[in-house]
Amino acid sequence: AAGVIQSPRHLIKEKRETATLKCYPIPRHDTVYWYQQGPGQDPQFLISFYEKMQSDKGSIPDRFSAQQFSDYHSELNMSSLELGDSALYFCASRMDSRFGNEQFFGPGTRLTVL
Amino acid sequence: KNQVEQSPQSLIILEGKNCTLQCNYTVSPFSNLRWYKQDTGRGPVSLTIMTFSENTKSNGRYTATLDADTKQSSLHITASQLSDSASYICVVSAASGTYKYIFGTGTRLKVLA
């Protein structure tokens, strides 16, 4: 069965650079969530999209932006990278067809900021 | 404030032994509770999901319980295997808005041969 695809899987950037992370949800899933997981920490919700519109916003820094495209894939754009942005970034997708439907997580993108 | 707390923070057991992980939550209004297994550097994988009316649910060697009155859940792992070594995360979904997940702090389990 198709799963959530994230690219790249690993990314190394330097301070003040920009990065773009991509997420391809499971087919027919219309909702995408982004999470940030620092070393030894639980995932923190950043932002979510439903039908290409932002549906909820969490602890996403102003330096980050995201969008969902017409094919439902999503991109997380990160600018002016800081050392503290080094983390595992997860994308999850969900089909908003019934109450409480599960989020399926991608494998994550490990971002290292040097 | 919606919170999910887990204990113990870490656990080491011998292969073949059983163990129980705990989760306490203060999420309201409550929708459902999930236990996830997360291998290092990988995305979380769902083990069980429990709604308000469910007390126990099993998935192979994993058995989850839920007490909605005391807002507590447990995950019992039977006959542990080396491959059970991972982080186990309790995730509670609030019954509002976008069904945002509220993650617990996780329990890091290490199974030794």
Side-chain angles (χ1 to χ4, degrees):
Chain A
V4 176
I5 298 172
Q6 289 188 246
S7 67
R9 292 294 310 279
H10 302 272
L11 190 59
I12 299 175
K13 291 285 186 178
E14 296 193 355
K15 281 173 54 178
R16 292 180 288 276
E17 286 192 320
T18 61
T20 298
L21 310 185
K22 297 184 179 182
C23 169
Y24 298 86
I26 293 171
R28 294 192 299 280
H29 282 198
D30 47 24
T31 306
V32 169
Y33 303 80
W34 284 97
Y35 294 88
Q36 178 192 57
Q37 185 176 29
Q41 299 179 1
D42 51 286
Q44 296 294 313
F45 170 71
L46 294 178
I47 196 168
S48 65
F49 293 88
Y50 167 66
E51 283 292 344
K52 292 151 281 185
M53 299 287 290
Q54 180 182 310
S55 54
D56 200 354
K57 191 173 181 180
S59 54
I60 184 170
D62 292 340
R63 298 177 290 107
F64 294 4
S65 64
Q67 57 181 324
Q68 185 179 31
F69 295 85
S70 58
D71 64 351
Y72 295 102
H73 94 272
S74 178
E75 295 185 3
L76 177 66
N77 299 294
M78 311 160 71
S79 62
S80 302
L81 288 170
E82 302 174 356
L83 296 179
D85 296 330
S86 295
L88 200 52
Y89 290 83
F90 290 109
C91 165
S93 75
R94 171 178 165 271
M95 181 186 297
D96 191 35
S97 59
R98 61 183 175 92
F99 179 76
N101 220 357
E102 181 174 354
Q103 295 180 29
F104 293 83
F105 287 83
T109 293
R110 181 170 293 283
L111 172 66
T112 302
V113 181
L114 303 176
Chain B
K1 180 183 176 182
N2 289 332
Q3 283 187 312
V4 179
E5 296 183 348
Q6 293 184 241
S7 63
Q9 196 171 34
S10 60
L11 184 62
I12 301 175
I13 61 174
L14 293 176
E15 187 179 13
K17 298 296 185 181
N18 305 334
C19 66
T20 301
L21 315 180
Q22 301 291 341
C23 172
N24 298 330
Y25 62 92
T26 58
V27 177
S28 181
F30 173 85
S31 172
N32 52 60
L33 183 149
R34 293 175 168 89
W35 282 94
Y36 279 87
K37 177 185 179 185
Q38 183 179 20
D39 293 309
T40 302
R42 305 292 296 274
V45 175
S46 179
L47 295 175
T48 65
I49 174 174
M50 303 185 73
T51 59
F52 185 87
S53 59
E54 296 176 300
N55 299 119
T56 303
K57 183 167 282 188
S58 292
N59 176 8
R61 295 181 297 103
Y62 302 105
T63 299
T65 66
L66 175 64
D67 186 333
D69 292 330
T70 61
K71 298 186 177 181
Q72 295 179 327
S73 176
S74 67
L75 179 69
H76 186 75
I77 304 175
T78 305
S80 61
Q81 301 175 357
L82 297 179
S83 60
D84 292 333
S85 295
S87 287
Y88 291 83
I89 306 175
C90 174
V91 181
V92 180
S93 182
S96 62
T98 55
Y99 311 111
K100 186 168 55 184
Y101 278 8
I102 299 159
F103 285 78
T105 48
T107 293
R108 186 174 296 277
L109 175 66
K110 179 72 173 176
V111 180
L112 302 178

